[in-house]
C-alpha cells in the first residue's frame, strides 16, 4: 500500500528540513517564537539520538470486545463448538473458548439476516439484507469472504444447509426456492416455483418462504413453510408435492421430530400445531400454551405470536419443546420470555431484553438421531445467555465473555499498558468477593477454537467510567478482556428521592452520578473521579474493610476575585439536590437554562448530599475525600474540565470554565480556588479585568460535548460526517487572537500536570510545580511549597503561588510531559502504595516512601529539561529553565485534535495524536518530526471523540458502538505479531459417527441414504440458472488475513500460501469444468444415439 512509501517521504522531508536556529526548526516551522534557538539548553539537538523512525509505526485493529451491537442472527457449529452472531450493521462476531473472539465486517454494512455454519468445515454462510449470500473462510485467523452471490430479482427470506451437504436451499419473498452450490457458489437450474408447490385451485399467493428443511428420514424430501400457513412437503426427485397442509394462522417457524414422521409449527396466534405426515388434512394436536382456557369450552384465547419453536427429543425422557413469545395479551408489562416445555412441566424464563433469536445445543449434529439437548443459547438485544437444560431448575451458565461493558452506558475510558504487574491479581482478589451465586456448575458449552498467550507479556488495564457512577477495572492483557473490579462511586452520596427537585428543574435529571473524568496513579493506587454534578472523589486502596465517615469539602469557583474558602464544619440544611441540568447523552452540545428556586437565590449549596453517617467500605477502593463545587449567587456550578492528582504531594487539582481549585487531600483543606484570570496576576497577555460572573444561568453541556469549550462552538464541521443530524456531527474552531475572544467568554482549565520542574527562568534546581493549560492556549506554572519533612506534612500548610511564567500555544491545551536532558520521559513523583487500614501497626506508622525522580537517572539530569506541550492545533517543545521554544509543529490548520498523549514505545518516547478529521499521527520527541499520519477513523459520532485514548507500547482504544470497545495498535511490531496472538477459529475435530440405524430401519425407514443431490441439482441434469437471477462475485479469498501481517515475513508467507490456495482452487475448478464437459459430451452422445435408434427404421414420410 502507498502509505509505507508516504511515510518514507515524510522521513526524508523532515531529515532535510533546515534544522538551524530560524523559524523554530523542526518540521512544521512557523514558530510563534522566531529565533527560538537552543542556546540556553546547549544545542540539545546534537545530544539526543532519536531512535524512532516511521518504520516503527503501522496502524491496524487488533480486537473488539463487548456485546455485538444491534444483533440480528445466531448460528452454532455443534462439532467445532463455536458461535456466530450477525448484526444490523453487517458485522459478524465469532466466539469460542475465552480468548477466541473474532470480529469481521461485510464491507457494504448490510444487515445480516441469517447465518449458517458448514458444520465442521471451517466455513460460514451469511445472508444479508441486500439479498447477497457470502461464504466466509474460517480456517484463517482473520476470516475472509471466498465467494458472494447477489440475487437481482428476488429477496432472500430463509436459508437452509443440510448437514454434510454442499447444496444450500434459499427461500425468497416471492415464495420460490433456489438451490446454491456451496463449492462454486453458483445457482443450480433446479428451482421450486411457488405456483408449482401449491395446489392449482389455490387463488392466493402463499407469501414468502419462512422455513426450509429436509426430512430427517429422507433427504430427498424438502419441507417448505409459507407465511400464510401453507406447508408443502416437496419430493425433490419427482419434482412434485407429496402433501400439503393448511392452517388458518400465519406460520413463524417449523421444527421436525427426529424420526421424520411429525413436525411442529408455531403461529401468529400463540398456538403450536403438531402434524403427522400420514394425515396432513389437519393437525393432530393444537395447543396455545399460554392461552387461558375459556369456561364454555371454547378454544383458548389467542396470545402473542410464537416467533420460533424447537422440538428436541431425548432417549430417556420426554421431548423438549422450547419457544420464544406466545404470552397472553393481558399481561402487557410482562417481560420477554423463553418457555421450556418438558413433559407436562412448563417453565417460563423471563429476560431483561427482547429475544432476537435462540438455538438449542444438542449432542448430535445428525437430524435423524435422538437430539439430547443440553443447553439453549438465547441472544437478546443487549445480552447473551446460555441456559443449562440438564438441571431441572434450568440455571444459566456464567458468561466468560466481557459482554456487560454497556451494563450502564460508558462515559469515559482510560487505558494503561505496561502497568505494575501486581495490580491485576490485587484488583481481582478484591473483585472476586462480589461473584454471584446460582450459576450452572457445568463448563461453558461454547468451547471451540484455540488460543495461546502469544509473545506479548506486559500487563494492561482498561478502566471504564459509566453513566450510573460505576467504574470498572478490566484486565486487558494479551488482547483479552476480563472484569477485575467494580467500584460504585454513587455510594458516597445520599440516594435521591424520586421527584425531588423536579419542580425547580435544577437537578441533573438523567444521570447525576455519571463519571466525567478519571485519574489513576497505578504506583500509589490513588484513584480520582470527577462526576457530572461538579464533584471530585479521591479514593485510596485498602485490602481491609473499614467503617468510617466520609470527609467532604465544598469549593466556590467563580469568575471573579474570591477569598480562599475554608470548609465550615456545620452541616448544610437539606435542600432539593440542585445542579446544572445536563442534556441527555444523546444531545451534542448547547446549553440548558436552569430555573432558580421560587423566590430564593441558591448560594453555597452543593448539587448532591454526601452521606454523613459512618459508611461500611469493603476491601478495594475506599472514598477518602469528596470535594463538591457549590452554587454561587444563583449560578449552578460548572462541570469539571480537567483533573490531576499527585500522591507524593498529597494534592488534587481540578478546573472548569470558571477557574482552578487545588485541594490538600492529606490535610483535607482547600489550598486555592481562583478564577482563571486571577491566576495570571499581572502577566495576563490579554490584560483582561476580573469581573463579576454573568447572570445568564448558562453552563457548558456535559459528557456529550467534546470538551467544555470556553469559546462558543461556532466552528467548521468535521470533514467526514455529511449528515445534517446534529447527533452525528460536531464543529468548532479556536483562535488565540485577542479579537476572536468573545468578551463574555470564560477561559476553561483544560489540562493539569504535577511535576518536578523549573518554575521560573532563573531557577537552578527543579521544584514541585503544577502546570496549568487553558482553553485559550495559555500555559501557567504554579509553584508548590511543600513542608520539608514528612513529619510536618500533616500539620504544616502547603503554599500554592503563581510563578509568573506564561507560555502560549494555538488552541486549547491538551497535554503536558517532561523529558530529561537525554530525551527520557520523566515520571511525575509518586508515593509507594501502603495500606491505610493495615492491621499491622508498623505499616500505619512507617514513613511515606516517595519516589521523586523516575527513572532514577533523571535525578542527575543536569541543568535542563524539555517540556512537551500539545494543544488542539500544535505541539511545542520548550527547554527549561530558559523557556526557549526549541521545536514547534503545527499539527492541523483545518481541524483540531481530540486526544494527544506522550507515550513510550520500544524504549523510546513519542507524541501520539488523534484528530477530529480522523487522522492518527505520531511525532518524534523532542524534535517533533512526523513519523506516522494515516487517515484512519472518521469521527462519525461523539462516542469516538469522548472515549478514544492512547496508551504505551503502541496501544489505543475507543468505543466503536455503545456496547463494544475496539482496540488498535500503531506499532509495526505488534501488527507483525498479531497473527500469533489471535485465536484459531477452526481446529481439526473428528465428525462424530452416525449411530447404527439397524438393518430393518435402513431397509424400511425411507431411502434417505441413496439420495444423490449432485445428480439432481448439478448442471448436467438441472441445467444452468438464468444469469439475470443472481450474480457471482469472487471474494478477496483471504487477502484480508494478510493485511494484519502486511510488511513482515508472515505477510509474504501468507500471501504465498493464498496464491497456492487460489491456484489449487483454479486447478480444481478446471478439473470440475473438464469433468462437466465430459459429462455433457457423454450425455449428448447418449441422447444422439437414442434419437438415431428411435428414427432408424422410419421412412422419410413418417417423420
Amino acid at each position: 500500500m502507498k502509505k509505507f512509501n508516504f511515510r518514507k517521504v515524510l522521513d526524508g522531508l523532515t531529515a532535510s528540513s533546515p534544522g538551524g536556529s530560524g523559524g523554530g526548526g523542526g518540521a512544521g516551522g512557523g514558530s510563534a517564537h522566531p529565533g527560538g534557538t537552543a542556546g540556553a539548553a546547549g544545542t540539545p539537538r546534537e545530544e539526543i539520538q532519536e531512535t524512532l523512525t516511521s518504520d516503527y509505526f503501522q496502524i491496524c485493529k487488533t480486537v473488539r470486545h463487548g456485546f455485538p451491537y444491534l444483533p440480528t442472527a445466531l448460528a452454532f457449529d455443534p462439532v467445532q463448538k463455536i458461535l456466530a452472531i450477525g448484526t444490523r450493521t453487517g458485522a459478524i462476531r465469532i466466539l469460542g473458548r475465552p480468548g477466541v473472539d473474532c470480529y469481521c465486517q461485510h464491507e457494504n454494512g448490510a444487515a445480516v439476516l441469517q447465518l449458517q455454519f458448514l458444520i465442521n468445515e471451517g466455513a460460514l454462510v451469511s445472508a444479508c439484507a441486500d439479498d447477497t449470500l457470502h461464504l466466509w473462510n474460517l480456517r484463517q485467523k482473520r476470516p475472509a469472504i471466498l465467494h458472494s452471490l447477489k440475487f437481482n430479482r428476488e429477496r432472500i427470506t430463509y436459508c437452509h444447509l443440510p448437514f454434510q451437504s454442499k447444496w444450500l436451499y434459499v427461500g425468497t419473498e416471492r415464495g420460490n426456492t433456489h438451490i446454491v452450490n456451496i463449492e462454486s457458489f453458483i445457482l443450480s437450474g433446479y428451482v421450486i416455483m411457488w405456483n408449482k408447490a401449491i395446489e392449482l385451485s389455490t387463488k392466493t399467493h402463499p407469501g414468502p418462504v419462512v422455513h426450509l428443511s429436509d426430512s430427517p428420514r429422507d433427504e430427498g424430501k424438502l419441507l417448505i413453510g409459507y407465511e400464510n400457513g401453507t406447508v408443502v412437503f416437496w419430493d425433490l426427485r419427482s419434482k412434485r408435492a407429496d402433501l400439503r397442509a393448511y392452517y388458518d394462522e400465519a406460520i413463524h417457524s417449523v421444527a421436525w421430530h427426529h424420526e421424520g414422521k411429525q413436525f411442529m409449527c408455531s403461529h401468529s396466534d400463540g398456538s403450536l400445531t403438531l402434524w403427522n405426515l400420514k394425515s396432513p388434512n389437519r393437525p393432530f394436536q393444537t395447543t396455545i400454551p399460554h392461552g387461558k382456557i375459556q369456561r364454555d369450552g371454547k378454544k383458548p384465547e389467542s396470545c402473542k405470536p410464537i416467533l420460533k419453536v424447537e422440538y428436541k427429543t431425548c432417549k430417556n425422557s420426554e421431548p423438549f419443546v422450547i419457544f420464544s413469545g406466545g404470552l397472553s395479551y393481558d399481561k402487557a408489562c410482562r417481560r420477554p420470555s423463553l418457555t421450556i416445555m418438558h413433559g407436562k412441566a412448563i417453565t417460563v424464563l423471563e429476560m431483561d431484553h427482547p429475544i432476537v433469536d435462540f438455538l438449542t445445543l444438542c449432542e448430535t449434529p445428525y437430524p435423524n438421531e435422538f437430539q439430547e439437548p443440553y443447553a439453549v443459547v438465547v441472544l437478546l438485544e443487549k445480552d447473551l445467555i446460555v441456559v443449562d437444560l440438564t438441571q431441572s431448575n434450568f440455571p444459566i451458565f456464567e458468561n466468560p465473555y466481557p459482554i456487560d461493558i454497556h451494563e450502564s452506558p460508558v462515559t469515559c475510558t482510560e487505558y494503561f499498558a505496561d502497568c505494575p504487574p501486581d495490580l491485576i491479581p490485587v484488583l481481582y482478589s478484591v473483585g472476586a468477593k462480589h461473584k454471584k451465586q446460582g450459576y450452572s456448575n457445568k463448563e461453558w458449552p461454547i468451547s471451540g477454537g484455540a488460543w495461546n498467550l502469544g509473545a506479548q507479556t506486559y500487563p494492561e488495564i482498561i478502566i471504564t467510567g459509566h453513566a450510573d457512577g460505576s467504574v470498572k477495572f478490566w484486565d486487558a492483557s494479551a488482547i483479552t478482556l476480563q472484569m477485575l473490579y467494580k467500584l460504585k462511586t454513587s455510594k458516597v452520596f445520599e440516594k435521591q428521592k424520586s421527584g425531588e427537585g423536579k419542580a425547580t428543574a435544577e437537578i441533573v435529571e438523567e444521570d447525576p452520578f455519571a463519571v466525567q473524568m478519571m485519574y489513576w496513579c497505578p504506583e500509589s493506587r490513588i484513584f480520582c473521579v470527577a462526576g457530572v454534578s461538579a464533584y471530585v472523589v479521591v479514593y485510596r486502596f485498602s485490602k481491609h474493610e473499614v467503617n468510617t465517615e466520609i470527609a467532604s469539602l465544598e469549593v466556590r469557583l467563580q469568575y471573579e476575585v474570591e477569598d480562599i474558602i475554608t470548609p465550615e464544619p456545620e452541616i448544610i440544611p437539606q435542600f432539593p439536590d440542585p445542579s446544572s441540568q445536563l442534556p441527555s447523552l444523546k444531545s451534542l452540545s448547547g446549553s440548558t437554562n436552569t430555573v432558580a428556586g421560587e423566590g430564593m437565590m441558591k448560594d453555597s449549596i452543593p448539587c448532591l448530599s454526601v452521606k454523613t453517617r459512618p459508611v461500611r467500605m469493603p476491601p478495594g477502593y475506599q472514598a477518602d475525600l469528596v470535594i463538591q463545587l457549590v452554587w454561587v449567587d444563583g449560578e449552578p456550578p460548572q462541570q469539571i474540565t480537567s483533573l490531576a492528582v499527585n500522591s507524593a504531594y498529597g494534592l488534587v487539582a481540578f478546573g472548569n470554565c470558571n477557574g482552578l481549585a487545588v485541594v490538600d487531600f492529606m490535610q483535607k483543606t482547600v489550598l486555592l480556588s481562583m478564577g482563571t484570570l486571577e491566576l495570571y496576576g499581572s502577566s495576563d497577555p490579554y490584560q483582561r479585568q476580573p469581573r463579576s460572573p454573568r447572570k445568564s444561568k448558562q453552563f457548558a453541556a456535559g459528557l456529550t460535548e467534546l470538551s467544555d469549550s470556553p469559546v462558543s462552538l461556532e466552528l467548521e464541521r468535521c470533514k467526514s460526517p455529511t449528515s445534517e443530524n446534529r447527533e452525528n456531527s460536531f464543529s468548532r474552531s479556536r483562535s488565540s487572537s485577542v479579537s476572536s475572544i468573545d468578551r463574555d467568554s470564560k477561559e476553561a482549565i483544560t489540562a493539569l500536570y504535577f511535576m518536578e520542574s523549573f518554575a521560573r527562568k532563573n531557577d537552578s534546581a527543579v521544584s514541585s510545580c503544577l502546570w496549568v493549560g487553558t482553553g485559550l492556549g495559555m500555559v501557567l506554572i504554579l509553584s508548590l511549597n511543600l513542608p520539608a519533612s514528612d513529619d510536618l506534612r500533616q500539620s504544616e500548610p502547603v503554599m500554592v503561588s503563581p510563578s509568573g511564567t506564561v507560555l502560549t500555544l494555538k488552541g486549547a491545551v491538551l497535554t503536558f510531559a517532561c523529558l530529561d536532558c537525554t530525551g527520557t520521559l520523566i515520571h511525575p513523583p509518586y508515593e509507594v502504595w501502603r495500606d491505610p487500614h493495615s492491621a499491622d501497626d508498623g505499616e500505619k506508622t512507617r514513613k511515606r516512601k516517595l519516589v521523586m525522580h523516575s527513572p532514577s537517572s533523571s535525578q542527575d539530569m543536569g541543568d535542563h529539561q524539555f517540556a512537551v506541550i500539545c494543544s488542539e492545533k500544535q505541539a511545542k517543545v520548550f527547554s527549561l529553565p530558559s523557556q526557549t521554544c526549541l521545536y514547534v509543529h503545527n499539527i492541523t490548520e483545518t481541524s483540531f485534535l481530540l486526544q494527544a498523549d506522550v507515550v513510550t514505545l520500544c524504549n523510546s518516547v513519542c507524541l501520539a495524536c488523534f484528530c477530529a478529521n480522523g487522522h492518527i499521527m505520531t511525532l518524534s520527541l523532542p524534535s517533533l518530526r512526523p513519523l506516522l499520519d494515516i487517515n484512519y477513523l472518521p469521527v462519525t459520532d461523539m462516542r469516538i471523540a469522548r472515549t478514544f485514548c492512547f496508551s504505551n507500547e503502541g496501544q489505543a482504544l475507543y468505543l466503536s458502538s455503545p456496547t463494544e470497545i475496539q482496540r488498535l495498535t500503531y506499532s509495526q511490531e505488534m501488527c507483525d505479531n498479531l497473527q500469533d496472538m489471535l485465536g484459531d477459529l477452526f481446529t481439526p475435530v473428528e465428525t462424530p459417527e452416525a449411530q447404527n440405524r439397524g438393518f430393518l430401519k435402513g431397509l424400511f425407514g425411507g431411502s434417505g441414504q441413496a439420495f444423490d443431490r449432485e445428480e439432481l441439482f448439478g448442471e448436467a441434469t438441472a441445467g444452468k440458472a438464468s444469469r439475470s437471477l443472481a450474480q457471482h462475485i469472487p471474494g478477496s479469498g483471504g487477502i484480508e488475513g494478510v493485511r494484519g501481517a502486511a510488511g513482515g515475513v508472515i505477510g509474504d508467507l501468507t500471501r504465498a500460501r493464498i496464491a497456492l490456495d487460489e491456484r489449487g482452487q483454479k486447478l480444481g475448478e478446471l478439473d470440475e469444468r473438464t469433468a462437466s464437459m465430459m459429462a455433457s459430451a457423454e450425455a449428448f452422445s447418449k441422447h444422439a444415439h437414442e434419437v438415431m435408434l428411435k428414427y432408424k427404421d422410419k421412412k422419410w414420410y413418417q417423420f
Side-chain angles (χ1 to χ4, degrees):
M1 285 174 74
K2 287 281 171 65
K3 60 188 172 194
F4 296 111
N5 307 335
F6 175 62
R7 291 192 317 214
K8 298 287 188 298
V9 172
L10 271 177
D11 264 359
L13 281 172
T14 53
S16 61
S17 66
S21 58
S31 168
H33 298 259
T37 62
T43 61
R45 290 163 208 232
E46 291 144 35
E47 286 176 28
I48 296 180
Q49 183 64 45
E50 292 179 6
T51 56
L52 292 179
T53 64
S54 61
D55 294 335
Y56 282 81
F57 296 93
Q58 161 71 357
I59 289 191
C60 68
K61 290 179 179 173
T62 53
V63 66
R64 186 173 286 214
H65 303 296
F67 181 76
Y69 184 55
L70 302 174
T72 52
L74 184 65
F76 183 70
D77 184 325
V79 180
Q80 286 287 322
K81 294 203 177 340
I82 54 173
L83 186 82
I85 298 171
T87 76
R88 204 182 300 168
T89 57
I92 299 175
R93 281 284 284 288
I94 303 166
L95 301 165
R97 67 176 66 241
V100 177
D101 183 343
C102 177
Y103 163 80
C104 27
Q105 176 74 44
H106 293 93
E107 277 182 19
N108 63 357
V112 179
L113 297 178
Q114 202 181 340
L115 295 170
Q116 287 258 294
F117 276 103
L118 277 65
I119 293 172
N120 207 22
E121 296 287 341
L124 176 74
V125 174
S126 58
C128 294
D130 61 348
D131 306 302
T132 308
L133 297 171
H134 304 275
L135 179 67
W136 293 83
N137 175 15
L138 308 184
R139 291 183 180 232
Q140 54 193 52
K141 292 193 175 188
R142 293 213 150 173
I145 292 174
L146 292 170
H147 301 280
S148 299
L149 187 68
K150 172 138 181 67
F151 282 72
N152 296 322
R153 300 197 306 238
E154 299 208 50
R155 311 224 61 183
I156 298 169
T157 55
Y158 194 87
C159 298
H160 169 63
L161 180 67
F163 179 44
Q164 294 180 322
S165 161
K166 68 172 188 177
W167 298 94
L168 174 76
Y169 301 116
V170 181
T172 69
E173 199 171 49
R174 288 188 185 174
N176 302 326
T177 302
H178 299 277
I179 298 166
V180 177
N181 183 321
I182 285 294
E183 289 171 358
S184 62
F185 237 59
I186 292 170
L187 268 181
S188 163
Y190 192 117
V191 186
I192 304 168
M193 303 300 282
W194 67 270
N195 53 353
K196 297 274 193 329
I198 63 169
E199 280 184 320
L200 292 173
S201 58
T202 311
K203 296 207 170 69
T204 54
H205 187 278
V209 174
V210 293
H211 179 81
L212 292 166
S213 61
D214 50 348
S215 161
R217 201 172 176 206
D218 182 354
E219 293 171 338
K221 305 283 175 74
L222 185 69
L223 192 73
I224 308 170
Y226 295 96
E227 192 178 68
N228 76 348
T230 303
V231 177
V232 174
F233 195 46
W234 182 263
D235 187 326
L236 291 161
R237 296 182 196 82
S238 62
K239 300 186 183 177
R240 62 183 179 81
D242 262 13
L243 62 89
R244 299 179 180 93
Y246 298 97
Y247 192 69
D248 51 7
E249 290 291 341
I251 291 176
H252 284 284
S253 74
V254 183
W256 278 103
H257 186 283
H258 83 271
E259 288 175 352
K261 297 173 186 173
Q262 298 173 2
F263 61 88
M264 184 180 281
C265 301
S266 74
H267 300 277
S268 55
D269 64 344
S271 64
L272 295 172
T273 53
L274 196 55
W275 301 77
N276 196 315
L277 293 182
K278 288 183 177 169
S279 53
N281 297 334
R282 58 193 181 87
F284 78 84
Q285 189 183 323
T286 304
T287 53
I288 300 183
H290 294 298
K292 282 185 184 164
I293 294 165
Q294 310 287 2
R295 282 183 187 166
D296 48 8
K298 284 184 189 166
K299 185 179 149 189
E301 63 176 13
S302 62
C303 293
K304 293 175 186 173
I306 293 178
L307 300 176
K308 182 173 182 179
V309 65
E310 295 215 330
Y311 185 20
K312 301 295 182 188
T313 51
C314 306
K315 205 166 194 172
N316 301 318
S317 72
E318 298 280 330
F320 279 90
V321 175
I322 301 168
F323 61 87
S324 60
L327 296 177
S328 64
Y329 281 104
D330 65 347
K331 298 194 172 80
C333 58
R334 199 149 168 197
R335 295 193 298 180
S337 56
L338 185 81
T339 305
I340 301 173
M341 296 165 66
H342 188 218
K344 292 186 177 171
I346 298 183
T347 307
V348 178
L349 303 178
E350 292 197 336
M351 305 293 166
D352 292 335
H353 309 284
I355 296 173
V356 175
D357 197 358
F358 72 90
L359 284 175
T360 311
L361 310 189
C362 299
E363 296 289 354
T364 175
Y366 295 95
N368 56 2
E369 297 176 356
F370 279 105
Q371 296 297 285
E372 305 297 348
Y374 60 90
V376 184
V377 178
V378 189
L379 177 64
L380 308 176
E381 272 183 13
K382 294 185 176 177
D383 204 357
L384 176 75
I385 66 165
V386 183
V387 181
D388 184 352
L389 292 179
T390 61
Q391 296 178 46
S392 57
N393 60 339
F394 304 130
I396 64 168
F397 289 86
E398 187 171 7
N399 196 319
Y401 310 132
I403 58 167
D404 56 347
I405 292 170
H406 61 286
E407 192 177 12
S408 168
V410 177
T411 51
C412 57
T413 55
E414 292 289 339
Y415 190 2
F416 297 86
D418 207 6
C419 57
D422 59 333
L423 282 170
I424 289 174
V426 159
L427 286 167
Y428 184 76
S429 67
V430 292
K433 296 183 174 71
H434 308 309
K435 291 266 185 249
K436 291 182 193 160
Q437 302 301 310
Y439 287 115
S440 168
N441 52 10
K442 294 254 170 62
E443 287 287 310
W444 179 250
I446 304 159
S447 56
W451 180 76
N452 58 355
L453 271 165
Q456 186 185 315
T457 51
Y458 52 83
E460 299 172 72
I461 288 178
I462 290 170
I463 309 178
T464 51
H466 300 263
D468 64 353
S470 61
V471 173
K472 292 180 181 177
F473 290 76
W474 305 84
D475 175 5
S477 312
I479 69 170
T480 60
L481 196 70
Q482 184 185 8
M483 173 118 116
L484 292 170
Y485 173 68
K486 181 176 175 181
L487 170 68
K488 293 180 179 171
T489 64
S490 58
K491 287 196 166 178
V492 302
F493 299 104
E494 297 286 1
K495 278 193 181 145
Q496 296 186 282
K497 299 183 179 77
S498 58
E500 191 178 85
K502 286 273 161 63
T504 50
E506 287 148 350
I507 195 153
V508 176
E509 283 180 15
E510 293 216 342
D511 297 301
F513 306 115
V515 177
Q516 199 167 8
M517 302 183 106
M518 301 179 293
Y519 192 102
W520 190 44
C521 174
E523 289 80 10
S524 65
R525 302 186 191 171
I526 293 263
F527 182 63
C528 202
V529 165
V532 78
S533 299
Y535 61 82
V536 170
V537 189
V538 181
Y539 287 89
R540 289 180 184 268
F541 187 85
S542 173
K543 293 181 181 176
H544 303 277
E545 185 176 307
V546 66
N547 217 341
T548 183
E549 287 190 14
I550 301 167
S552 67
L553 291 175
E554 284 165 11
V555 175
R556 281 172 82 89
L557 262 189
Q558 62 178 13
Y559 211 55
E560 63 177 0
V561 181
E562 273 296 318
D563 298 327
I564 289 179
I565 303 296
T566 48
E568 297 296 330
E570 72 258 18
I571 295 167
I572 282 134
Q574 279 300 95
F575 237 92
D577 302 336
S579 157
S580 47
Q581 188 179 338
L582 177 69
S584 72
L585 282 171
K586 294 188 188 81
S587 77
L588 246 174
S589 64
S591 57
T592 314
N593 293 325
T594 56
V595 184
E598 296 181 21
M600 54 193 277
M601 173 83 77
K602 302 231 179 299
D603 192 51
S604 302
I605 301 161
C607 299
L608 302 169
S609 311
V610 179
K611 286 178 180 172
T612 50
R613 62 188 182 280
V615 177
R616 186 187 75 82
M617 299 183 192
Y621 274 105
Q622 299 167 347
D624 190 50
L625 177 64
V626 181
I627 308 152
Q628 288 183 283
L629 293 178
V630 295
W631 286 62
V632 178
D633 302 334
E635 287 248 332
Q638 305 295 297
Q639 285 170 13
I640 291 162
T641 54
S642 55
L643 175 68
V645 189
N646 189 283
S647 55
Y649 302 162
L651 302 180
V652 56
F654 57 94
N656 62 11
C657 61
N658 284 336
L660 170 72
V662 181
V663 172
D664 180 340
F665 64 79
M666 292 177 72
Q667 293 187 27
K668 315 278 193 279
T669 56
V670 182
L671 303 177
L672 175 95
S673 69
M674 266 190 180
T676 316
L677 283 186
E678 290 81 73
L679 294 172
Y680 289 104
S682 59
S683 46
D684 180 7
Y686 299 134
Q687 301 300 312
R688 293 161 293 185
Q689 293 302 310
R691 62 194 183 285
S692 297
R694 292 172 294 156
K695 300 292 182 211
S696 66
K697 309 275 194 304
Q698 198 171 335
F699 55 89
L703 294 179
T704 45
E705 216 171 281
L706 213 61
S707 71
D708 289 310
S709 160
V711 181
S712 58
L713 308 179
E714 82 270 3
L715 308 200
E716 76 357 284
R717 212 163 253 232
C718 265
K719 298 292 177 271
S720 55
T722 51
S723 158
E724 286 301 306
N725 182 352
R726 287 186 65 199
E727 287 185 27
N728 290 330
S729 59
F730 55 92
S731 52
R732 74 175 173 178
S733 70
R734 282 211 179 100
S735 158
S736 47
S737 64
V738 183
S739 60
S740 75
I741 292 181
D742 174 8
R743 296 230 171 102
D744 214 18
S745 74
K746 301 178 178 183
E747 186 175 3
I749 307 293
T750 55
L752 294 166
Y753 186 65
F754 286 105
M755 192 63 217
E756 290 289 295
S757 186
F758 298 94
R760 297 172 188 81
K761 269 192 181 176
N762 50 6
D763 281 3
S764 57
V766 294
S767 59
S768 306
C769 298
L770 172 60
W771 290 68
V772 181
T774 78
L776 296 179
M778 297 295 156
V779 176
L780 307 157
I781 304 179
L782 303 186
S783 287
L784 308 173
N785 194 346
L786 295 152
S789 73
D790 194 39
D791 305 338
L792 300 172
R793 179 62 186 86
Q794 292 289 0
S795 53
E796 292 282 312
V798 177
M799 305 304 291
V800 183
S801 54
S803 65
T805 297
V806 179
L807 307 171
T808 60
L809 286 87
K810 270 195 274 182
V813 178
L814 296 178
T815 193
F816 298 105
C818 272
L819 311 181
D820 66 17
C821 59
T822 66
T824 308
L825 183 66
I826 309 171
H827 193 293
Y830 62 89
E831 177 192 354
V832 177
W833 176 76
R834 56 181 182 152
D835 198 324
H837 305 298
S838 170
D840 178 11
D841 288 336
E843 174 94 355
K844 284 184 188 171
T845 54
R846 78 173 165 83
K847 285 194 171 182
R848 296 167 71 219
K849 184 180 174 188
L850 305 183
V851 178
M852 298 307 278
H853 301 282
S854 170
S856 53
S857 59
S858 52
Q859 190 160 5
D860 328 306
M861 57 191 155
D863 53 358
H864 73 271
Q865 284 179 343
F866 297 104
V868 181
I869 309 172
C870 186
S871 76
E872 59 183 13
K873 294 285 187 184
Q874 65 177 185
K876 285 186 178 181
V877 174
F878 292 92
S879 175
L880 298 181
S882 68
Q883 297 175 13
T884 310
C885 179
L886 295 175
Y887 303 96
V888 62
H889 180 68
N890 292 314
I891 296 168
T892 174
E893 293 295 335
T894 55
S895 188
F896 53 93
L897 292 189
L898 296 165
Q899 186 69 34
D901 279 296
V902 174
V903 291
T904 57
L905 178 73
C906 301
N907 298 318
S908 193
V909 64
C910 65
L911 176 65
C913 309
F914 175 49
C915 192
N917 61 15
H919 283 250
I920 291 178
M921 295 165 271
T922 60
L923 304 172
S924 73
L925 288 176
S927 67
L928 299 177
R929 282 180 302 115
L931 298 172
L932 171 80
D933 184 350
I934 290 181
N935 185 2
Y936 184 68
L937 180 70
V939 184
T940 47
D941 56 40
M942 287 307 305
R943 189 187 322 103
I944 296 172
R946 197 174 65 234
T947 58
F948 193 100
C949 53
F950 291 104
S951 189
N952 296 328
E953 304 307 327
Q955 304 273 21
L957 66 79
Y958 62 93
L959 245 75
S960 54
S961 75
T963 62
E964 295 164 289
I965 288 175
Q966 177 67 57
R967 286 162 72 178
L968 53 120
T969 182
Y970 48 96
S971 150
Q972 178 72 59
E973 185 188 5
M974 187 158 176
C975 288
D976 290 345
N977 296 332
L978 187 59
Q979 289 293 103
D980 300 335
M981 298 166 70
L982 295 170
D984 288 294
L985 296 171
F986 179 79
T987 50
V989 180
E990 282 286 315
T991 303
E993 283 189 21
Q995 290 170 9
N996 186 5
R997 302 181 69 209
F999 172 71
L1000 289 172
K1001 209 166 187 182
L1003 202 60
F1004 302 113
S1007 53
Q1009 304 309 310
F1011 176 60
D1012 185 356
R1013 293 188 179 94
E1014 184 68 42
E1015 189 184 324
L1016 206 54
F1017 305 146
E1019 202 174 300
T1021 315
K1024 283 186 175 179
S1026 161
R1027 279 195 176 177
S1028 61
L1029 187 60
Q1031 171 193 358
H1032 177 259
I1033 306 158
S1036 57
I1039 295 300
E1040 281 298 312
V1042 177
R1043 278 188 192 157
V1049 182
I1050 300 169
D1052 299 334
L1053 287 170
T1054 315
R1055 275 192 288 272
R1057 196 174 69 235
I1058 284 164
L1060 275 172
D1061 284 355
E1062 284 173 354
R1063 190 172 159 212
Q1065 199 178 324
K1066 281 178 184 151
L1067 285 170
E1069 283 171 10
L1070 191 64
D1071 276 359
E1072 278 176 22
R1073 224 172 289 150
T1074 312
S1076 99
M1077 282 168 73
M1078 284 170 70
S1080 68
E1082 203 175 312
F1084 180 72
S1085 80
K1086 192 175 167 188
H1087 188 61
H1089 187 66
E1090 281 170 3
V1091 170
M1092 187 268 289
L1093 289 174
K1094 185 176 175 184
Y1095 297 120
K1096 190 172 71 167
D1097 299 327
K1098 291 194 177 182
K1099 304 283 187 231
W1100 65 268
Y1101 51 81
Q1102 290 174 307
F1103 285 131

